[in-house]
Amino acid sequence: MENSPKKIRLATIWLDGCSGCHMSILDMDEKLIEIAQYVDVVYSPYVDAKEFPSDVDLTIVEGALSTDHDIAMIKKIRENSKLILALGDCAITGNISAMKNLFGSDGVLQKGYFDLADINESNAYPSKIVPKLLDKVLPLHEVVKVDYFLPGCPAPYNAIYEMLKALIEGREINIYEYTRFGK
């Protein structure tokens, strides 16, 4: 064990997205055991960490940026991560989340919390528990430097596996052999 290489400190997070890309990570099945030999998952929906840690080697980010909380979180991730991988079309382009941009925040809040709501006894927007929406949904690279992009909706499990394996081995990969936008 003393001669074992240092494990990569890995974090994952989903912001404004459907979690489909995180489901694809789980779809790697037995390949997760292989990857686990090389990484320590230090922050993720899969583990019970409350605060984003410092000195993370790689953070995989799923989802777009749509709230003030998302902006603060992605800046904290950038400050504490050597590498960021934008996972999935939402992280790279805004994708489905960015459809809000066609109607604006006020239009989306009106439709979601008043026009289509069955229950809203206070007749008010729940501003104390819902983060403030940005005027426009943004892809990650418009706010922070992103080191790698892995498209897909959701990103296919084999593309995630091949990308992680390449990063672990320190080699380049042509990810478009495994996925593309909308795949």
Side-chain angles (χ1 to χ4, degrees):
M1 199 68 163
E2 291 178 16
N3 294 328
S4 298
K6 180 184 170 212
K7 287 188 170 185
I8 294 169
R9 289 174 50 84
L10 174 71
T12 77
I13 187 169
W14 80 69
L15 299 173
D16 189 357
C18 69
S19 78
C21 291
H22 269 76
M23 296 306 293
S24 289
I25 292 172
L26 295 176
D27 285 343
M28 287 194 292
D29 297 330
E30 70 278 358
K31 291 179 180 177
L32 286 169
I33 295 168
E34 176 189 339
I35 296 296
Q37 296 175 59
Y38 305 102
V39 302
D40 279 328
V41 180
V42 295
Y43 185 89
S44 174
Y46 308 131
V47 300
D48 190 25
K50 304 296 184 225
E51 295 293 324
F52 194 85
S54 61
D55 198 29
V56 175
D57 294 309
L58 171 64
T59 300
I60 299 172
V61 182
E62 172 188 359
L65 307 170
S66 66
T67 67
D68 57 350
H69 176 267
D70 294 342
I71 296 293
M73 194 66 200
I74 197 65
K75 288 180 177 177
K76 185 173 191 172
I77 289 168
R78 182 71 273 177
E79 289 172 12
N80 293 288
S81 301
K82 293 174 186 155
L83 299 171
I84 291 179
L85 167 64
L87 179 63
D89 293 355
C90 290
I92 298 171
T93 68
N95 203 28
I96 299 296
S97 301
M99 289 178 67
K100 176 202 121 185
N101 296 347
L102 300 171
F103 307 101
S105 295
D106 290 340
V108 169
L109 293 172
Q110 177 65 36
K111 188 63 94 178
Y113 287 98
F114 300 102
D115 296 350
L116 299 177
D118 292 331
I119 300 172
N120 186 349
E121 295 172 0
S122 68
N123 202 27
Y125 169 64
S127 61
K128 292 183 179 176
I129 59 170
V130 177
K132 183 179 182 304
L133 295 178
L134 301 175
D135 291 337
K136 180 181 172 191
V137 172
L138 303 168
L140 305 183
H141 69 275
E142 288 193 18
V143 177
V144 296
K145 176 183 178 279
V146 173
D147 303 287
Y148 296 97
F149 298 87
L150 199 165
C153 184
Y157 75 90
N158 63 326
I160 298 168
Y161 169 75
E162 294 296 337
M163 174 66 90
L164 285 173
K165 200 168 143 191
L167 291 171
I168 289 167
E169 295 170 353
R171 62 179 168 80
E172 294 294 320
I173 181 172
N174 178 3
I175 199 61
Y176 296 103
E177 292 177 10
Y178 303 96
T179 188
R180 59 175 170 74
F181 287 101
K183 183 175 182 179

